[in-house]
Amino acid sequence: TETRVAMAGDGHFWVKARANGAVHRLLVDTGATLTTLSADTADELGAIPDPDGSRIMLTTANGTTQAELGLITSLRVGNVVVHHLPVAVAPGMAETNVLGMNFLSQLASWRVEGQTLILVPHHPQRVEANT
């Protein structure tokens, strides 16, 4: 009924996120309002650009950058599936993609116990092979 994520050696929680047949490693960032992806990752995960071409300014640890808004139809992390997830697509993200609070706020709950992040979905899904 939950997905458990062990803390990595760098002191962060990293998850494998799946969408559109692709898998990418995302940093769980409770300080990030939006899930933010590099352009390449957004393409591979099937992000749909905002039809209005909306852009926002993101303030990150590396400074301020412009990002395009988009949507991922369905994003899976373990037994958690979030549908219609808004994302920011930032060309300057390089290899660090961020799973933000807009994903975590869709859960029944989430918490950290010791060195484990626990994600509890409202409607747990069957875990796919190699998750």
Side-chain angles (χ1 to χ4, degrees):
T1 60
E2 61 193 25
T3 291
R4 293 177 163 260
V5 181
M7 183 183 291
D10 64 4
H12 296 287
F13 295 106
W14 294 87
V15 296
K16 289 181 183 176
R18 298 174 179 272
N20 197 38
V23 179
H24 277 275
R25 188 172 178 238
L26 277 67
L27 170 69
V28 178
D29 186 351
T30 60
T33 303
L34 279 175
T35 296
T36 305
L37 308 171
S38 70
D40 288 343
T41 299
D43 285 344
E44 290 180 24
L45 293 178
I48 302 164
D50 183 285
D52 297 328
S54 298
R55 294 177 179 269
I56 61 171
M57 294 303 291
L58 293 176
T59 302
T60 71
N62 295 325
T64 302
T65 187
Q66 192 174 61
E68 297 178 5
L69 294 177
L71 182 80
I72 292 184
T73 305
S74 180
L75 187 71
R76 173 186 286 271
V77 174
N79 71 340
V80 178
V81 177
V82 172
H83 299 285
H84 309 292
L85 181 69
V87 295
V89 180
M93 285 302 288
E95 294 302 313
T96 304
N97 297 288
V98 173
L99 189 71
M101 284 302 298
N102 67 324
F103 181 93
L104 296 175
S105 67
Q106 299 298 311
L107 301 173
S109 68
W110 64 272
R111 65 190 183 278
V112 175
E113 290 182 4
Q115 295 187 352
T116 304
L117 172 65
I118 301 167
L119 307 175
V120 182
H122 288 285
H123 305 287
Q125 302 296 306
R126 188 171 52 102
V127 175
E128 296 176 350
N130 299 322
T131 302

